Amino acid sequence: MIDFHCHLDLYPDPAGVINDCRRRGLYVLSVTTTPTAWKATSALAGQAPRIRTALGLHPQLVHERSSELPLFDELLPLSNYVGEIGLDGAPKFRPHWHTQIAVFEHILATCSAAGGRILSLHSRRASSAVLDRVRAFPNAGTFVLHWFSGSARDLDRAIKLGCWFSVGPTMLKGESGRALVARIPRERVLTETDGPFAQLDGAALLPWQADLAINNLSVLWSLPRETVDQLLLANLRRLLTNLDSP
Ligand code: MN
């Protein structure tokens, strides 16, 4: 099972969650929200062979944390994964739109210069602006749109641009999210939870609850659970084909 976007460092007991992930054999992309969080979050996962820690600068925090960009650049050689990055067009973050764009473009340019990374992208209420940057920085790496909630038209554009998608129980719970997921080619889908930010029935999702997304995909694709599980693992392997270790 795979959780390709969660925030391990933000759970009340990260070490406990990590132990459980290891015990269950989960593949995890642990994303961070600030460059300063990366080292400690990376250390938390220790030598867990199936947990990778992405270097991030969350678009909702860039106005407070853009001074950490030099640290981002310094740490980038240490990580094959970048996230959470992107743009957020919600009213609360709109005042910082220009800073968000400057930071996002800087990160994409830096990733391009570094030979590309696997990038987990936030695009809430900003999908077309995010896709404009995906198109403008094709060498930044492989883009994985996390919890995509844009229009069907933007989704089709993202597919044409070669994007991948990580989809979780919260996205798959609603009709509109399921309709979007149904349009995505199966070979570009991974599961995620976005825990502990994402909640289901009032409780923060735990990484192994990516399980619920597998159930949803099984119904949506009319495939047995085991087949969906195998398909997702094959997707992950294909995504990582061109990566060296860390
Ligand atoms: Mn997130």
Side-chain angles (χ1 to χ4, degrees):
M1 200 179 5
I2 303 157
D3 185 352
F4 209 71
H5 183 114
C6 66
H7 300 262
L8 289 181
D9 59 332
L10 302 181
Y11 285 100
D13 175 20
V17 173
I18 287 167
N19 279 339
D20 236 340
C21 289
R22 292 190 71 155
R23 196 169 49 77
R24 294 164 190 262
L26 212 69
Y27 291 92
V28 176
L29 183 66
S30 162
V31 297
T32 55
T33 55
T34 64
T36 43
W38 187 79
K39 269 192 180 159
T41 308
S42 208
L44 265 177
Q47 299 307 310
R50 295 182 171 182
I51 302 180
R52 294 290 182 271
T53 307
L55 175 64
L57 184 42
H58 199 292
Q60 296 175 352
L61 298 176
V62 290
H63 57 289
E64 296 162 355
R65 302 296 192 119
S66 55
S67 63
E68 291 186 30
L69 263 188
L71 180 61
F72 181 97
D73 297 353
E74 188 187 317
L75 294 173
L76 187 65
L78 305 177
S79 181
N80 278 326
Y81 300 85
V82 166
E84 177 163 4
I85 59 161
L87 299 172
D88 192 309
K92 189 175 169 197
F93 304 104
R94 199 78 205 181
H96 313 294
W97 185 245
H98 293 290
T99 312
Q100 289 191 47
I101 290 187
V103 167
F104 188 37
E105 290 187 344
H106 171 92
I107 289 174
L108 296 177
T110 311
C111 289
S112 301
R117 292 293 185 268
I118 289 176
L119 307 110
S120 185
L121 301 185
H122 176 108
S123 58
R124 185 175 69 147
R125 297 178 80 163
S127 53
S128 75
V130 166
L131 294 176
D132 288 345
R133 274 74 198 181
V134 166
R135 196 185 49 165
F137 294 89
N139 300 322
T142 307
F143 297 96
V144 184
L145 290 162
H146 120 79
W147 196 342
F148 184 84
S149 58
S151 64
R153 198 182 144 154
D154 279 343
L155 181 86
D156 292 347
R157 189 176 165 218
I159 294 165
K160 283 202 192 83
L161 286 165
C163 294
W164 289 59
F165 300 83
S166 54
V167 307
T170 332
M171 178 178 181
L172 283 155
K173 196 181 172 193
E175 196 53 56
S176 57
R178 278 201 298 274
L180 286 173
V181 176
R183 293 177 83 92
I184 305 172
R186 289 173 194 176
E187 64 276 11
R188 301 261 197 95
V189 174
L190 297 169
T191 46
E192 67 162 43
T193 64
D194 201 16
F197 282 131
Q199 304 200 336
L200 206 61
D201 304 324
L205 282 167
L206 289 153
W208 46 92
Q209 290 183 289
D211 197 41
L212 300 168
I214 297 180
N215 291 341
N216 294 133
L217 291 171
S218 164
V219 174
L220 195 68
W221 293 341
S222 307
L223 289 174
R225 260 194 63 92
E226 298 66 42
T227 311
V228 173
D229 201 29
Q230 292 304 312
L231 193 151
L232 295 168
L233 288 170
N235 286 352
L236 182 65
R237 262 178 239 118
R238 194 157 16 82
L239 178 69
L240 306 184
T241 303
N242 299 318
L243 276 189
D244 307 325
S245 1

